[in-house]
Amino acid sequence: RLSREMLLEGAIYMAGLGLVAWFLARGLSRPLERLVAAMRAIASGDFGTEVGDTARKDEVGALTTTLSDFRTQLAESARMAQENTARSAALNASSSCLMMMDAEFRVTFCNSAMLRLFADHADSFRQSMANFDPDAVVGQNMDLFHGDPARIHRLLQAPDALPFRGEMRTGSLTV
């Protein structure tokens, strides 16, 4: 009789532990399933996806809060990329010659009008720069265009002087 009671009590304890384990697993697995679903949606570009469980005060809450912040940053980056694409298209389509440099004075962008000017007047540019290649300007240091690069560096490093507009003479051409 004692062994039957012990077996019955053991079975009740095991069932209780199993029930507790099931609730704990369910309380963890469902939020993680929602987190994975939100991550997949965000990874596919759906930045409007709501990330649930951010109010939780445990590790799941920390993960979902981090994902929510990441989603917000990705959405902003995507918005800025779209704006930059539109600006880039507008700059490239402009009939004005435009050339941009980075902080090290390397040419990072020439719009199509500028590239056309370089190609159309390559011989004039070669009068000042013997090895001028109109197809290789992007990536070059802008110093190749100036007799006194230090003066131009000083001008371009003054924030109140930007954007800088200037003229350059090369051969019979004034740009």
Side-chain angles (χ1 to χ4, degrees):
R1 177 179 149 114
L2 184 58
S3 36
R4 267 192 201 172
E5 286 178 14
M6 286 177 66
L7 282 173
L8 184 59
E9 286 178 14
I12 291 171
Y13 285 128
M14 291 300 285
L17 282 174
L19 199 57
V20 167
W22 181 76
F23 277 113
L24 285 175
R26 187 175 171 143
L28 186 59
S29 67
R30 283 207 171 150
L32 289 177
E33 288 170 1
R34 288 190 295 270
L35 176 64
V36 168
M39 290 173 79
R40 284 190 176 125
I42 292 166
S44 71
D46 182 1
F47 303 123
T49 297
E50 285 300 316
V51 179
D53 300 304
T54 55
R56 289 178 62 138
K57 302 294 183 206
D58 59 2
E59 291 82 1
V60 172
L63 286 170
T64 55
T65 299
T66 301
L67 179 61
S68 182
D69 294 345
F70 189 56
R71 178 205 57 195
T72 301
Q73 292 171 357
L74 282 173
E76 178 62 14
S77 293
R79 184 192 64 73
M80 289 174 61
Q82 188 175 20
E83 283 182 14
N84 287 339
T85 299
R87 283 190 187 117
S88 179
L91 288 174
N92 205 33
S94 173
S95 61
S96 295
C97 294
L98 300 170
M99 183 166 54
M100 294 181 191
M101 274 130 257
D102 64 14
E104 285 80 38
F105 301 102
R106 279 187 310 269
V107 178
T108 59
F109 173 80
C110 290
N111 72 347
S112 55
M114 190 82 225
L115 293 173
R116 232 180 355 268
L117 180 128
F118 286 147
D120 291 349
H121 300 283
D123 290 338
S124 290
F125 283 100
R126 285 188 189 108
Q127 289 177 18
S128 304
M129 303 164 271
N131 296 324
F132 178 76
D133 180 356
D135 297 322
V137 172
V138 174
Q140 297 292 318
N141 193 290
M142 68 102 190
D143 293 351
L144 84 119
F145 292 105
H146 302 284
D148 185 4
R151 180 181 148 275
I152 301 301
H153 286 228
R154 284 190 304 276
L155 286 170
L156 294 177
Q157 288 173 336
D160 57 325
L162 299 175
F164 179 75
R165 292 175 181 249
E167 288 186 357
M168 177 181 75
R169 282 202 104 122
T170 180
S172 61
L173 181 68
T174 300
V175 181

